[in-house]
């Protein structure tokens, strides 16, 4: 995939370099790059339509995504060639140029996020959780923890109120999970260890159980944080892509009209 | 009513016949009177239960009923899965096959149900469901080679009918038990010839009786020997070079063995005393490693145990410990019987092939502990039962839920699976139908709404005749069948009557999108290509090795 991408970009850049050998035809070349960029953009954008027609006999979505990724990078390169690798003049052109690079860049960042986060979740978290169910699961876990703690001794109840109650109350997304998918579990265990030494056998068992609940909550928060990133990067990509398509259509109309 | 029934296709006839099929009285079932939970004393008075301890009889009464059936009533139909056996107290029952199907099946010397279906499919193409997927599945199944160590054995036929294609059964006869105990579809249709009084024994009671009463086990085994064993042995490729007299003499010498879940059949190192052919069930083969033991292979329906020991192991001691995962039924041939068979060069070759495959697999497990772990996981979670299991590679899954949305889109807004389930390392075994080789969900469906589609191994539910009894959902060991409310209520003329006016729900499960030209929507719509369908242990093995593509 990487090789095909490199070859594609080299071909475009080679063509661009050759276009400089015939200065009089340079405008035609630049126009050609612009037309190619617009065509590639429409092809790349049709992936969004494919996603909304899951049952239609349009081929495998995985193939569409590959085309979307290759095409997206190619689009970025073609736009740069169309603008002669310069920041263009004119308000509309500048907006188009910035938007094109923004959409390409956010797409590449999204690709990186989609490669990194699934691996982090699969390797660091023990259970698979549906994103939409996280609030419900946290609520249920919180209720179980409350009920359980009520049956524990005073030191555990006090420990729970001081250190854990707020955490069990609601889902808590945090950037910590991007650095350490476990949320610093090992470091956080220390607080349990100290109390554990002070408790008798039965209460120590209860504290262990509370610790397991705490671990489950950390996992839910990790899922929330990481899966949110998998969803939210699209906010930086899709709306701008739609605006870009509209502006490119207007750009083409203006060029053809004037 | 019978004239009407003749005009309707099978599923509709089943729906018309339904009114708690074997468990309530009514004109539609053909049951005139029914006595649930007969007393132990009443049972003891019957020939079938002679000599059985009263406490055991007391225990099984909840799974026994006595019914009077009217003449002409259909007790069950060919192809249906039932979870009870019938013992005739009074009257006569005729069992028969439909001739066309009978010929198709009798001519197919195979045991694998999928292959039987392909054979049927090939002979009765259904133009209405001619799709890309169908042809794909059929071609895949038709070319599927037996798994390592798998000697095709035992067809789904549980009655070897004489040439007349019908058999009359009278008082003292038992029928339906082979299909019920093995989870096979019934090979025949059973119809009451005269008014009959029948004892209906459900599978839990059948198993208790088989386990705890040697006399009852002998009786059931004798029926199997009389009606089926000879037929099965004749169709066994292993014995294809033997003449009929040899096979008849062999049939007299084999033992029938039943093993409960978790019970050890043979122990590694103990003297090997014969070979076993698996009739039904699943068994784990494990070997010692350090202070513990690891799973090295498994046996399922049609496979042979003992070939390695017979041919390769010095002193004929068992190579592995063999433990039954579920209820297993086996045919045992003693060493001296097998030794005489080895005089046939074809049989010897067959044993060698199967033994070499087993040794290869065992050696692979010993060298690759991760495969042994996978085997254990697969056996414990029933993955070895599945024909098409939805597996999601979590290393690549972006949790976009396009697979779930595509499933819902394809099935009227209701997804047929949940993207949750067991995890094996970084692979998620989604809660979707496995399309099992022996689908227990089919057993006891009162209307036949859940059935094998005529495409590959697909199990589907015909929603318009599903009455929402949730039998299949409760039986599915993998929680893959979901009861979904339809938003309607049952009409005032609904049968059975107790449903009238109540909210309607239907059982819902993956049907592999078998009527769609694009194949399973979940796989087709996954942008990362991380949702795949897995059917064999080799597929799972490929998944564990990076860089090996697994075809969906």
């Amino acid at each position: 995939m990487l090789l095909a991408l490199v070859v594609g970009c080299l071909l475009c850049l080679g063509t661009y370099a050759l276009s400089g050998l015939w200065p009089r035809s340079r405008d035609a070349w630049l126009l050609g790059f612009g037309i190619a960029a617009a065509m590639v953009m429409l092809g790349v954008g049709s992936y969004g339509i494919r996603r909304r027609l899951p049952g239609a006999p349009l081929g495998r979505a995985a193939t569409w995504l590959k085309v979307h990724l290759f095409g997206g990078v190619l689009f970025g390169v073609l736009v740069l060639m169309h603008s002669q690798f310069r920041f263009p003049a004119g308000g509309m052109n500048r907006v188009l140029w910035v938007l094109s690079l923004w959409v390409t860049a956010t797409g590449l960042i999204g690709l990186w996020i989609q490669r990194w986060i699934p691996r982090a979740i699969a390797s660091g978290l023990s259970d698979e959780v549906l994103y939409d169910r996280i609030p419900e699961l946290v609520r249920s876990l919180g209720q179980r923890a409350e009920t359980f703690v009520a049956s524990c001794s005073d030191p555990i109840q006090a420990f729970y109120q001081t250190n854990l109650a707020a955490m069990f109350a609601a889902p808590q997304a945090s950037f910590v999970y991007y650095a350490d998918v476990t949320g610093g579990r090992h470091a956080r265990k220390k607080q349990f260890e100290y109390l554990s030494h002070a408790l008798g056998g039965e209460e120590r068992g209860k504290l262990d159980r509370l610790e397991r609940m705490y671990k489950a909550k950390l996992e839910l928060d990790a899922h929330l944080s990481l899966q949110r990133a998998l969803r939210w990067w699209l906010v930086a990509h899709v709306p701008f892509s739609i605006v870009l398509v509209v502006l490119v259509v207007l750009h083409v109309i203006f060029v053809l009209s004037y | 009513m019978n004239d009407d029934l003749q005009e309707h296709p099978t599923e509709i006839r089943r729906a018309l016949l339904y009114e708690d099929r074997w468990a309530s009285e009514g004109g539609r079932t053909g049951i005139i009177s029914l006595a649930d939970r007969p007393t132990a004393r009443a049972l003891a008075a019957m020939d079938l239960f002679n000599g059985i301890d009263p406490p055991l009889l007391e225990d099984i009464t909840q799974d026994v009923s006595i019914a009077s059936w009217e003449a002409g009533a259909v007790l069950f139909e060919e192809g249906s899965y039932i979870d009870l056996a019938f013992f005739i107290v009074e009257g006569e029952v005729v069992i028969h096959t439909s001739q066309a199907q009978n010929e198709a099946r009798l001519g197919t010397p195979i045991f694998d149900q999928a292959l039987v279906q392909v054979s049927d499919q090939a002979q009765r193409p259904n133009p209405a469901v001619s799709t890309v997927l169908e042809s794909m599945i059929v071609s895949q199944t038709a070319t599927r080679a037996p798994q390592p160590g798998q000697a095709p054995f035992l067809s789904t036929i549980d009655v070897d009918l004489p040439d007349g294609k019908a058999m009359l059964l009278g008082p003292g006869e038992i029928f339906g038990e082979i299909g019920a105990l093995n989870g096979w579809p019934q090979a025949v249709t059973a119809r009451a010839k005269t008014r009959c009084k029948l004892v209906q024994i459900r599978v839990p009671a059948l198993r208790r009786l088989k386990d705890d009463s040697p006399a009852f086990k002998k009786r059931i085994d004798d029926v199997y020997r009389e009606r089926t064993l000879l037929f099965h042995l004749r169709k066994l490729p292993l014995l294809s070079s033997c003449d009929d007299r040899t096979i008849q003499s062999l049939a007299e010498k084999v033992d029938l063995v039943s093993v409960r879940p978790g019970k050890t059949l043979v122990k590694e190192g103990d003297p090997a005393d014969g070979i076993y052919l698996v009739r039904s069930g699943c068994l784990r083969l494990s070997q010692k490693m350090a202070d513990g033991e690891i799973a090295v292979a498994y046996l399922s329906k049609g496979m042979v145990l003992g070939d390695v020991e017979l041919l390769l192991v010095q002193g004929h001691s068992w190579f592995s410990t063999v433990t039954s995962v579920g209820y297993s039924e086996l045919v045992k041939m003693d060493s001296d019987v097998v030794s005489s068979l080895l005089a046939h060069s074809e049989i010897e070759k067959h044993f060698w092939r199967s033994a070499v495959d087993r040794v290869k697999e065992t050696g692979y497990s010993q060298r690759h502990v991760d495969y042994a772990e996978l085997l254990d996981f697969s056996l414990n979670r029933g993955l070895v039962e599945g024909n098409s299991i939805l597996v999601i590679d979590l290393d690549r899954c972006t949790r976009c839920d396009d697979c779930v949305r595509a499933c819902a889109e394809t099935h009227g807004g209701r997804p047929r699976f949940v993207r949750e389930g067991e995890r094996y390392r970084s692979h998620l075994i989604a809660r979707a139908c496995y399309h099992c080789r022996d689908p227990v969900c089919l057993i006891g469906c009162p209307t036949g709404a859940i059935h094998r589609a005529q495409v590959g191994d697909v199990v589907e539910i015909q929603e318009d005749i599903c009455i929402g009894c949730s039998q299949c959902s409760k039986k599915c060991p993998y929680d893959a069948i979901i009861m979904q409310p339809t938003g309607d209520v049952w009409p005032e003329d609904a049968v059975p009557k107790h449903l009238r006016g109540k909210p309607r729900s239907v059982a819902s499960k993956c049907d592999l999108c078998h009527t769609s030209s694009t194949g399973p929507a979940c796989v087709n719509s996954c942008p990362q290509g991380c949702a795949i369908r897995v059917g064999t242990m080799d597929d799972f093995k490929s998944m564990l090795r990076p860089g090996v593509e697994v075809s969906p």
Side-chain angles (χ1 to χ4, degrees):
Chain A
M1 185 173 166
L2 188 66
L3 182 69
L5 196 64
V6 170
V7 170
C9 290
L10 285 177
L11 273 176
C12 291
L13 290 171
T15 313
Y16 177 76
L18 285 173
S19 71
L21 296 177
W22 300 284
R24 273 179 295 180
S25 61
R26 191 171 188 109
D27 286 348
W29 278 99
L30 295 181
L31 181 65
F33 293 138
I35 292 170
M39 304 288 278
V40 169
M41 185 200 67
L42 289 177
V44 167
S46 60
Y47 173 65
I49 300 169
R50 166 67 182 87
R51 283 195 70 193
R52 277 155 191 80
L53 297 170
L58 296 171
R60 292 170 61 103
T63 311
W64 278 77
L65 181 63
K66 277 183 188 157
V67 171
H68 181 80
L69 295 174
F70 285 129
V73 174
L74 187 60
F75 167 74
V77 174
L78 285 169
V79 166
L80 287 175
M81 285 158 58
H82 178 59
S83 66
Q84 298 179 280
F85 290 91
R86 287 199 296 260
F87 191 54
M92 176 77 159
N93 290 346
R94 284 180 173 178
V95 170
L96 270 175
W97 193 86
V98 170
L99 260 184
S100 299
L101 296 189
W102 172 263
V103 169
T104 306
T106 53
L108 289 172
I109 292 168
L111 179 65
W112 175 70
I113 288 174
Q114 289 192 340
R115 294 287 177 273
W116 165 51
I117 288 187
R119 286 201 178 101
I121 295 176
S123 61
L125 303 177
S126 56
D127 286 316
E128 182 58 20
V129 176
L130 295 181
Y131 182 76
D132 296 333
R133 287 193 64 204
I134 291 173
E136 172 201 331
L137 292 171
V138 169
R139 198 163 40 247
S140 156
L141 184 65
Q143 282 166 359
R144 272 196 291 136
E146 287 278 348
T147 313
F148 175 68
V149 166
S151 70
C152 296
S153 60
D154 287 345
I156 294 181
Q157 288 195 20
F159 173 76
Y160 175 81
Q161 290 305 333
T162 313
N163 299 291
L164 308 178
M167 193 246 191
F168 274 104
Q172 291 174 343
S174 166
F175 285 106
V176 169
Y177 298 105
Y178 299 112
D180 175 4
V181 74
T182 67
R185 191 185 303 149
H186 294 293
R188 295 195 198 199
K189 268 177 73 174
K190 298 277 180 200
Q191 54 188 343
F192 284 89
E193 279 173 14
Y194 186 77
L195 179 63
S196 181
H197 293 311
L199 295 173
E202 193 187 340
E203 287 300 305
R204 196 176 290 173
K206 286 184 175 179
L207 189 67
D208 286 346
R209 196 173 152 196
L210 185 62
E211 190 182 332
R212 285 197 292 276
M213 289 184 186
Y214 178 68
K215 186 185 150 199
K217 174 64 171 55
L218 286 178
E219 284 223 351
L220 288 173
D221 286 344
H223 270 287
L224 180 72
S225 311
L226 297 170
Q227 292 197 42
R228 181 177 281 181
L230 282 170
R231 281 165 164 72
W232 283 15
W233 77 267
L234 287 167
V235 176
H237 182 68
V238 177
F240 293 97
S241 311
I242 295 167
V243 173
L244 179 64
V245 171
V246 173
L247 290 182
V248 166
V249 170
L250 288 175
H251 177 67
V252 171
I253 291 170
F254 292 153
V255 169
L256 292 177
S257 307
Y258 305 103
Chain B
M1 185 182 75
N2 287 342
D3 289 341
D4 291 342
L5 293 181
Q6 295 302 325
E7 293 169 13
H8 293 293
T10 304
E11 279 77 10
I12 305 301
R13 274 192 288 146
R14 285 184 182 145
L16 288 172
L17 281 165
Y18 175 77
E19 194 171 3
D20 285 342
R21 184 75 181 267
W22 302 283
S24 72
E25 301 163 28
R28 287 184 183 276
T29 60
I31 294 179
I32 303 162
S33 67
L34 184 84
D36 270 329
R37 298 198 68 151
T39 60
R41 187 181 292 178
L43 292 180
M46 291 175 192
D47 165 47
L48 180 67
F49 301 108
N50 251 344
I52 295 178
D53 291 342
L56 175 57
L57 286 180
E58 201 67 59
D59 282 353
I60 62 160
T61 53
Q62 59 182 348
D63 286 313
V64 178
S65 59
I66 301 173
S68 290
W69 291 74
E70 66 185 21
V74 176
L75 307 176
F76 56 79
E77 290 162 304
E78 186 177 338
S80 59
Y81 289 74
I82 61 173
D83 66 344
L84 72 171
F86 299 85
F87 172 72
I88 307 173
V89 181
E90 290 167 19
E92 287 178 326
V93 170
V94 64
I95 58 173
H96 59 88
T97 61
S98 85
Q99 192 166 344
Q101 284 177 352
N102 193 30
E103 281 169 2
R105 290 187 182 190
L106 290 179
T108 314
I110 48 179
F111 137 82
D112 187 331
Q113 192 174 330
L115 295 175
V116 172
Q117 287 185 340
V118 169
S119 161
D120 287 352
Q121 183 73 16
Q123 296 183 28
R124 296 185 282 104
N126 181 356
V129 286
S130 181
T131 64
V132 173
L133 175 69
E134 177 183 342
S135 58
M136 181 183 85
I137 290 173
V138 169
S139 65
Q140 278 176 353
T141 329
T143 56
R144 186 188 296 165
Q147 295 296 301
Q150 182 166 357
F153 173 65
L154 304 182
S155 73
T156 55
I157 302 288
D158 63 356
V159 178
D160 184 12
L161 280 179
D163 289 343
K165 310 281 192 295
M167 185 188 275
L168 195 63
L169 303 176
E173 302 257 27
I174 189 165
F175 60 98
E177 80 294 343
I178 296 172
L181 283 168
N182 292 289
W184 297 344
Q186 293 297 326
V188 292
T189 296
R191 194 181 287 270
K193 187 168 187 247
T194 61
R195 184 172 164 152
C196 294
K197 185 175 173 187
L198 305 176
V199 179
Q200 303 176 166
I201 313 162
R202 297 177 70 87
V203 167
L206 276 174
R207 290 205 196 283
R208 273 297 303 275
L209 288 165
K210 265 194 91 177
D211 288 343
D212 296 345
S213 164
F216 188 88
K217 180 179 180 333
K218 185 174 181 312
R219 186 163 190 157
I220 296 281
D221 288 351
D222 286 348
V223 172
Y224 176 74
R225 282 174 191 279
E226 185 191 323
R227 294 190 193 147
T228 316
L229 179 62
L230 208 54
F231 171 80
H232 280 160
L233 293 177
R234 279 196 201 111
K235 296 295 173 191
L236 194 63
L238 176 71
L239 303 176
S240 57
S241 58
C242 296
D243 58 35
D244 209 47
R245 221 176 55 188
T246 309
I247 291 177
Q248 280 194 10
S249 117
L250 189 63
E252 287 164 14
K253 291 173 187 165
V254 299
D255 291 325
L256 302 175
V257 179
S258 305
V259 198
R260 290 190 219 183
K263 290 286 169 195
T264 299
L265 177 67
V266 299
K267 284 198 85 166
E268 184 181 351
D270 284 357
D273 53 351
I275 65 162
Y276 293 85
L277 310 169
V278 184
R279 283 164 61 190
S280 67
C282 189
L283 302 112
R284 169 197 281 111
L285 273 67
S286 52
Q287 288 183 343
K288 284 177 188 153
M289 183 183 246
D291 290 336
E293 57 179 31
I294 58 162
V296 289
Y298 74 99
L299 297 172
S300 65
K301 194 164 75 175
M303 292 183 172
V304 180
L305 169 70
D307 41 11
V308 177
E309 289 76 4
L310 185 72
L311 298 168
L312 297 172
V313 181
Q314 287 282 332
H316 298 291
S317 57
W318 288 110
F319 189 42
S320 331
T321 296
V322 180
T323 312
S324 184
V325 178
Y327 282 98
S328 299
E329 303 283 341
L330 304 103
V331 176
K332 183 185 176 191
M333 292 185 197
D334 283 333
S335 295
D336 51 338
V337 177
V338 183
S339 299
S340 66
L341 284 176
L342 287 176
H344 298 256
S345 62
E346 280 303 312
I347 295 177
E348 191 184 358
K349 267 188 213 164
H350 199 107
F351 274 133
W352 271 112
R353 274 197 299 270
S354 144
V356 167
D357 286 341
R358 175 75 31 75
V359 170
K360 273 187 194 167
E361 191 181 10
T362 307
Y364 187 87
S365 304
Q366 287 277 8
R367 288 195 313 278
H368 300 87
V369 180
D370 55 347
Y371 180 62
E373 184 196 350
L374 173 66
L375 257 180
D376 248 335
F377 178 83
S378 305
L379 285 163
N380 293 337
R381 308 298 197 280
L383 303 187
V384 291
E385 278 293 313
N387 278 311
S388 180
I389 299 166
L390 177 60
V391 179
I392 297 174
D393 181 354
L394 295 176
D395 272 340
R396 288 187 288 153
C397 176
T398 59
R399 280 77 174 172
C400 64
D401 274 335
D402 277 7
C403 51
V404 181
R405 269 193 292 277
C407 181
E409 183 85 14
T410 315
H411 297 102
R414 292 199 303 246
R416 302 284 181 91
F417 77 98
V418 184
R419 193 176 53 76
E420 279 180 331
E422 294 274 356
R423 257 180 73 166
Y424 176 73
R425 298 195 177 174
S426 60
H427 291 92
L428 179 77
I429 316 298
R431 270 209 283 140
C433 178
Y434 289 7
H435 300 275
C436 296
R437 293 184 168 87
D438 288 320
V440 289
C441 54
L442 268 63
I443 298 168
C445 173
T447 67
I450 186 163
H451 59 273
R452 284 262 193 220
Q454 291 299 311
V455 183
D457 304 309
V458 177
V459 176
E460 69 170 354
I461 294 173
Q462 192 179 337
E463 285 195 1
D464 55 344
I465 61 168
C466 173
I467 56 161
C469 67
S470 73
Q471 281 282 342
C472 54
S473 173
K474 286 176 197 155
K475 283 207 168 87
C476 174
Y478 316 115
D479 286 336
I481 303 180
I482 308 157
M483 298 308 298
Q484 289 188 326
T486 61
D488 305 330
V489 290
W490 284 97
E492 285 309 308
D493 59 349
V495 174
K497 292 173 189 166
H498 68 82
L499 292 174
R500 292 174 183 173
K502 291 187 177 165
R504 188 178 179 198
S505 63
V506 290
S508 174
K509 64 175 274 304
C510 162
D511 62 356
L512 273 181
C513 301
H514 72 89
T515 55
S516 157
S517 60
T518 56
C522 50
V523 173
N524 194 43
S525 296
C526 175
Q528 308 298 334
C530 61
I532 51 176
R533 288 276 172 180
V534 174
T536 64
M537 286 304 291
D538 281 343
D539 291 344
F540 275 108
K541 224 172 6 179
S542 307
M543 278 168 38
L544 287 179
R545 286 188 229 144
V548 178
E549 282 285 322
V550 181
S551 51

